[in-house]
Amino acid sequence: MKLTIKDLKSQYSSYRGPVYACENINFDLDDGESIGIAGESACGKSTLGLSIIRMLQGGKTTGTILLDENSILDLSDSEFDQQYRWKKISMIFQGAMNSLDPVFTIKDQFIEVLKQHNYEGDSAQLIKDAMKSVSLDEIVLKKYPHELSGGMKQRVIIAMALLLKPNFVIADEPTTALDVLIQAQIINLLKKLKKEGMSFMLITHDLAVLSEIADKIGIMYGGQMVEFGSSHDIYKNPKHPYTQGLLKSIPTLRGDKPTYIKGVPPSLLNPPTQCRFLDRCPQAMEKCKQLPPKFKTDSGYVQCWLYEDEST
Ligand code: SF4
């Protein structure tokens, strides 16, 4: 599925005023490509995912989202439900494995998902296919959530997202709160699904994971996508000082001491009109007191005044 995002803005209402969670987000993915979205907590990553699947609670989204050239923000809720949600695009929500209902078997919970989406076909076969796709034995269908390990519960949640065979899945921190062995299992599972033709938007703060699984990476900071490009370029040749800082904070086997980025992200209640990384940037200069436009890079763009000359 081809995905194009143009000038996407999402904001929440709060008693202190609007929260500008995502602003002027732009990127596109070709059919079969996957993207990783990385950045600190509250940078707008999850809001971006929820905006694309039109499940933003207490907020509104403007701009353009094209799925295979169709503008999904122009559809009514029921049209989007009937044509897209869970059928062409689905989501693995953050912490979703803890939302499995403890008093129902896994099978009953799958059936509930199918009911919610008015599925009228062969539900037994569909559930069987979904379990197979995440390498879970059918015996698991008879079990209750408390009888499953964390890794099995997360596989069940992924299977639920795959139930109606969507070709694009938004996965919000699918490995958070899992131990490293189970994290590896889930990442290997996502890699397997990708090989079988599934596309992902993988939301995480773990750039190392993204470099393994994503074709493209978008780095978010303060509600904006400050760098976008191929995962190879972002990982091997990061341009934005924030991306560089994120990569330096990852421990390496070479023994390089990880460093951290001093300071805190800006408030999205009243975001600055200058570069949002200004207060924390080690390379800040006078010009940075204005918000930088997006300058082209080999495989995408970077929003930083350091690259003004290279783009002309
Ligand atoms: Fe740093 Fe300036 Fe680039 Fe912002 S625009 S990231 S302050 S160098």
Side-chain angles (χ1 to χ4, degrees):
M1 176 178 287
K2 197 168 169 347
L3 170 69
T4 305
I5 306 281
K6 282 188 205 155
D7 299 328
L8 182 136
K9 288 186 189 181
S10 290
Q11 67 182 60
Y12 297 99
S13 317
S14 83
Y15 72 95
R16 291 168 64 195
V19 179
Y20 301 96
C22 283
E23 285 205 299
N24 302 323
I25 308 285
N26 292 278
F27 67 87
D28 47 45
L29 291 181
D30 281 331
D31 197 21
E33 280 188 328
S34 290
I35 184 170
I37 305 290
E40 281 163 291
S41 297
C43 65
K45 307 187 294 293
S46 298
T47 298
L48 176 59
L50 291 166
S51 303
I52 293 172
I53 199 167
R54 292 189 38 171
M55 293 183 80
L56 200 63
Q57 301 285 322
K60 67 170 183 186
T61 300
T62 56
T64 305
I65 303 175
L66 301 177
L67 288 177
D68 285 337
E69 309 298 337
N70 299 310
S71 174
I72 59 164
L73 290 184
D74 292 335
L75 299 176
S76 68
D77 279 346
S78 64
E79 284 172 334
F80 184 71
D81 261 349
Q82 280 164 14
Q83 296 170 33
Y84 287 94
R85 194 177 288 124
W86 243 252
K87 298 173 181 82
K88 293 188 176 169
I89 176 168
S90 70
M91 186 159 182
I92 301 161
F93 297 97
Q94 198 170 3
M97 71 177 188
N98 299 320
S99 64
L100 287 170
D101 195 321
V103 300
F104 290 103
T105 62
I106 299 302
K107 184 176 180 183
D108 287 343
Q109 300 192 48
F110 274 110
I111 288 171
E112 185 58 29
V113 174
L114 292 174
K115 266 194 210 157
Q116 290 295 324
H117 292 278
N118 303 316
Y119 183 73
E120 290 171 349
D122 181 353
S123 50
Q125 187 59 45
L126 212 55
I127 294 171
K128 221 167 145 184
D129 291 350
M131 293 294 277
K132 195 171 165 204
S133 69
V134 298
S135 309
L136 276 179
D137 195 287
E138 283 175 51
I139 193 95
V140 171
L141 291 171
K142 295 185 179 159
K143 297 194 180 287
Y144 290 88
H146 74 271
E147 296 179 280
L148 306 182
S149 68
M152 288 166 97
K153 280 194 266 189
Q154 189 64 316
R155 278 170 192 261
V156 166
I157 290 295
I158 295 173
M160 281 182 180
L162 302 180
L163 203 47
L164 295 180
K165 307 194 177 188
N167 34 22
F168 190 76
V169 176
I170 300 166
D172 191 358
E173 309 263 12
T175 57
T176 301
L178 296 174
D179 71 49
V180 283
L181 288 177
I182 297 173
Q183 279 185 22
Q185 281 178 19
I186 299 297
I187 293 303
N188 286 336
L189 170 63
L190 295 179
K191 279 189 196 165
K192 170 184 152 286
L193 293 170
K194 185 169 184 279
K195 263 194 197 153
E196 291 168 3
M198 180 78 61
S199 296
F200 288 98
M201 172 186 279
L202 182 57
I203 300 171
T204 176
H205 51 267
D206 191 337
L207 263 174
V209 164
L210 290 187
S211 68
E212 278 194 53
I213 201 167
D215 303 296
K216 293 177 172 172
I217 292 179
I219 303 292
M220 296 210 42
Y221 183 78
Q224 299 183 325
M225 191 169 279
V226 293
E227 186 165 2
F228 168 73
S230 71
S231 56
H232 178 271
D233 284 358
I234 301 267
Y235 201 68
K236 294 286 177 198
N237 184 23
K239 290 193 174 302
H240 197 282
Y242 176 66
T243 315
Q244 292 168 357
L246 269 188
L247 282 165
K248 283 185 193 150
S249 68
I250 302 172
T252 67
L253 287 175
R254 293 191 304 274
D256 304 336
K257 204 171 167 193
T259 56
Y260 69 99
I261 305 170
K262 289 183 188 153
V264 292
S267 162
L268 299 182
L269 265 170
N270 190 14
T273 53
Q274 56 206 16
C275 169
R276 295 190 179 172
F277 194 52
L278 179 66
D279 292 347
R280 304 173 77 186
C281 181
Q283 299 180 67
M285 41 192 182
E286 191 54 33
K287 185 147 204 177
C288 306
K289 290 181 181 162
Q290 304 162 58
L291 198 60
K294 292 181 167 86
F295 299 113
K296 273 193 170 180
T297 59
D298 288 346
S299 59
Y301 62 79
V302 59
Q303 190 170 310
C304 171
W305 283 116
L306 289 172
Y307 301 94
E308 184 183 15
D309 296 338
E310 289 182 23
S311 73
T312 52

